[in-house]
RNA sequence: CGGGGAGUAGCUCAGUCUGGUAGAGUGUCUGCUUUGGGAGCAGAAAGUCGCAGGUUCGAAUCCUGUCUCCCCGACCA
């Protein structure tokens, strides 16, 4: 994409409401704009990042046989009255009355809707287990929204729901999701710490949060340092859960040899048995024709929060440093304006675009210094400068955002350069 | 919800104490000069001073009410 076409306006100073680095950088780089407290418009750059994260999550869900679907944002209150949560959920729930005086709500989560749907569509034990998910906007009327999209009221969440015939089956499913979550966060370039967690309003007896370590994180956690391991996925569920970790309300004060830190909760998984299937009268028939109440679990990932969490993990004083598979653009080509090289540059841009399909060309009429600053702020993994060095020596300067390393390559070499081999 | 703070130009802020009719930096626009690290010069546009009411000859400034936003704490992906 040519940056002259992009709705984008970098800010030198950060708006005063932004207190944490990810919020500041998201505002300065035109990723988001606040609409009202805890509610944001995703501008083109932020939206690209959001979609990239979403796709990595989607691939991982699909890998474990999860069905993607899309449930509505607005729900009827009826099912919530059946499950008992219409009163339990309290003021966090945004309630809406339609013109016929019907009570509706903006969904904060989807256990009721999915259980009702499953109950209608699945009648036989042969269909189990089934995993369903969607990626949809949620609304929770937080007491105090803060830190930009880190704690918004409206947020994008991937929520999956599993249905198993037995408690044992549900436990096996829980382990599958547990491991899939580790892989998802590692794919996103993050180091997840799974911690035993309280189950809160969702209910149930088994639950893990997935935390990303960050000093600005909202939750306190303690963990065995061995959990910080980029090969964590190689270990089994049992091996991992033997290592100690706990979120604040579960902390065992007598423990030693553990690290106390702060984290950003980016995922949460629950195993809650028949908590919803029972009140909503969801059942399937077993081979004896007897009614069996399925065991459920639910599995959330905060997609919009992850954009902020990733920035918290990858930034420096100059701006964001996106991992290459999340970056809004992989490569940004910078040139001088009014250059005689325009045709050459256009060629290089087209060649790289056909290879990587996600390249930007900064064709704005600005000084080269300004373009470099913007490229750093936005956090594009590779910046190519086609300027004096190219004119004089045929060299393109290639700068890697992660560490600032530079190499000078010819036009020929650029076409064969392995840009994908990149970790921040 | 309790405690604290703030609303003045797109952004950062001064002006409010002591009332006299709107300022700076940055960004934006135009022209010229520039072009390797947020360039220089000249010119321009841009704000019903959050909103409503009151006091006053006169209100960004004083008074009353109200709305919004932010920060600290208790809940959550």
């Amino acid at each position: 994409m040519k940056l002259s076409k992009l709705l984008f306006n970098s800010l030198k100073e950060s708006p005063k409401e932004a207190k944490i680095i990810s919020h500041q950088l998201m505002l300065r780089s035109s990723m988001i704009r606040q609409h009202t407290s805890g509610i944001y418009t995703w501008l083109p750059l932020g939206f690209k990042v959001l979609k990239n994260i979403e796709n990595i999550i989607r691939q991982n869900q699909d890998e474990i046989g999860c069905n993607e679907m899309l449930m509505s944002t607005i729900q009827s209150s009826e099912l919530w009255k059946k499950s008992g949560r219409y009163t339990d959920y309290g003021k966090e729930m945004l309630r809406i009355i339609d013109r016929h005086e019907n009570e509706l709500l903006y969904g904060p989560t989807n256990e009721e809707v999915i259980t009702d749907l499953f109950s209608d569509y699945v009648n036989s034990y042969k269909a189990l287990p089934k995993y369903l998910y969607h990626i949809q906007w949620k609304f929770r009327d937080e007491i105090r929204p803060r830190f930009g999209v880190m704690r918004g009221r409206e947020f994008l969440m991937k929520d999956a729901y599993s249905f198993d015939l037995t408690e044992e089956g549900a436990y096996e499913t829980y382990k599958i999701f547990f491991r899939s979550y580790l892989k998802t966060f590692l794919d996103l370039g993050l180091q997840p710490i799974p911690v035993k967690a309280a189950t809160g309003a969702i209910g149930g007896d088994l639950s893990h949060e997935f935390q990303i370590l960050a000093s600005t994180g909202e939750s306190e956690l303690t963990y065995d340092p061995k959990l910080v391991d980029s090969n964590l996925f190689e270990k089994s569920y049992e091996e991992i859960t033997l290592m100690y970790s706990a979120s604040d309300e579960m902390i065992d004060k007598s423990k030693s040899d553990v690290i106390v830190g702060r984290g950003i909760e980016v995922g949460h998984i629950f195993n809650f048995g028949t908590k919803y299937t029972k009140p909503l009268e969801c059942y399937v028939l077993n081979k004896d024709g007897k009614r069996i109440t399925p065991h459920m679990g639910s599995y959330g990932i905060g997609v919009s929060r992850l954009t902020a969490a990733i920035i918290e993990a990858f930034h420096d004083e100059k701006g964001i440093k996106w991992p290459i598979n999340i970056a809004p653009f992989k490569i940004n080509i910078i040139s001088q304006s009014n250059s005689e090289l325009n045709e050459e540059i256009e060629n290089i841009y087209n060649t790289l675009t056909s290879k990587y399909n996600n390249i930007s060309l900064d064709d704005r009429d600005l000084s080269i210094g300004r373009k470099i600053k913007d490229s750093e702020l936005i956090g594009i993994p590779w910046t190519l400068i086609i300027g004096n060095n190219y004119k004089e020596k045929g060299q393109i300067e290639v700068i890697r955002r992660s560490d600032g390393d530079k190499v000078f390559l010819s036009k020929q070499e650029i076409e064969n350069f392995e840009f994908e081999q990149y970790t921040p």
Side-chain angles (χ1 to χ4, degrees), chain A residues 209-395:
Chain A
E209 288 172 3
F210 290 79
Q211 301 265 0
I212 301 304
L213 297 177
S215 56
T216 48
E218 288 191 87
S219 18
E220 190 174 50
L221 66 153
T222 51
Y223 56 96
D224 187 325
K226 289 195 210 71
L227 280 168
V228 183
D229 176 3
S230 56
N231 294 318
L232 201 57
F233 184 67
E234 308 302 321
K235 295 189 164 67
S236 72
Y237 172 82
E238 284 75 14
E239 285 175 284
I240 294 165
T241 49
L242 275 178
M243 292 187 257
Y244 179 79
S245 71
S247 61
D248 41 11
E249 67 265 43
M250 305 281 280
I251 286 171
D252 176 356
K253 298 257 195 298
S254 66
K255 277 276 179 193
S256 58
D257 300 329
V258 295
I259 296 178
V260 179
R262 300 198 70 79
I264 300 166
E265 184 187 349
V266 290
H268 203 158
I269 61 177
F270 302 88
N271 178 0
F272 45 71
T274 58
K275 174 168 171 157
Y276 300 97
T277 42
K278 218 170 228 163
L280 294 171
E281 294 168 333
C282 168
Y283 59 85
V284 295
L285 296 180
N286 71 3
K287 55 185 160 191
D288 304 319
K290 261 182 62 185
R291 290 180 169 191
I292 303 290
T293 305
H295 290 252
M296 282 181 72
S298 76
Y299 316 87
I301 293 180
V303 183
S304 45
R305 173 180 287 184
L306 268 168
T307 58
I310 292 167
I311 294 171
E312 291 291 329
F314 303 116
H315 68 271
D316 61 15
E317 68 289 346
K318 293 173 177 171
I320 304 167
K321 303 201 279 190
W322 290 115
I324 200 160
N325 55 353
I326 296 169
F329 300 108
K330 289 177 181 168
I331 302 168
N332 185 31
I333 301 170
I334 286 175
S335 64
Q336 293 171 352
S337 46
N338 305 321
S339 162
E340 320 90 72
L341 301 173
N342 281 346
E343 203 174 317
E344 289 276 297
I345 290 163
E346 195 83 15
N347 270 334
I348 295 168
Y349 169 63
N350 288 333
T351 307
L352 290 174
T353 298
S354 62
K355 191 170 170 190
Y356 295 103
N357 79 46
N358 195 12
I359 308 301
S360 56
L361 173 62
D362 197 344
D363 58 339
R364 297 174 299 166
D365 187 13
L366 296 172
S367 73
I368 218 160
R370 170 75 179 277
K371 292 184 182 184
I372 295 169
K373 290 284 184 198
D374 275 350
S375 201
E376 288 168 341
L377 175 65
I378 305 170
I380 302 176
W382 296 97
T383 300
L384 269 49
I385 304 179
I386 305 177
N388 291 338
N389 281 310
Y390 191 76
K391 252 185 259 177
E392 290 156 18
K393 297 179 260 178
Q395 287 183 331

Side-chain angles (χ1 to χ4, degrees), chain A residues 26 31 42 45-61 68 133 135 149 156-158 183-185 187-190 266 301-312 314 320 322-328 358:
Chain A
M26 287 179 88
M31 287 179 67
W42 291 77
L45 220 46
F47 191 57
K48 280 174 183 288
V49 169
L50 195 63
K51 287 286 163 192
N52 290 342
I53 293 171
E54 200 183 297
N55 279 331
I56 292 170
I57 294 168
R58 176 175 290 117
Q59 280 164 20
N60 275 284
Q61 290 290 285
E68 184 169 14
Y133 79 101
I135 299 172
V149 299
L156 187 63
M157 179 162 96
K158 185 286 299 177
K183 181 164 170 295
T184 303
F185 294 120
D187 282 356
L188 288 165
L190 297 167
V266 290
I301 293 180
V303 183
S304 45
R305 173 180 287 184
L306 268 168
T307 58
I310 292 167
I311 294 171
E312 291 291 329
F314 303 116
I320 304 167
W322 290 115
I324 200 160
N325 55 353
I326 296 169
N358 195 12

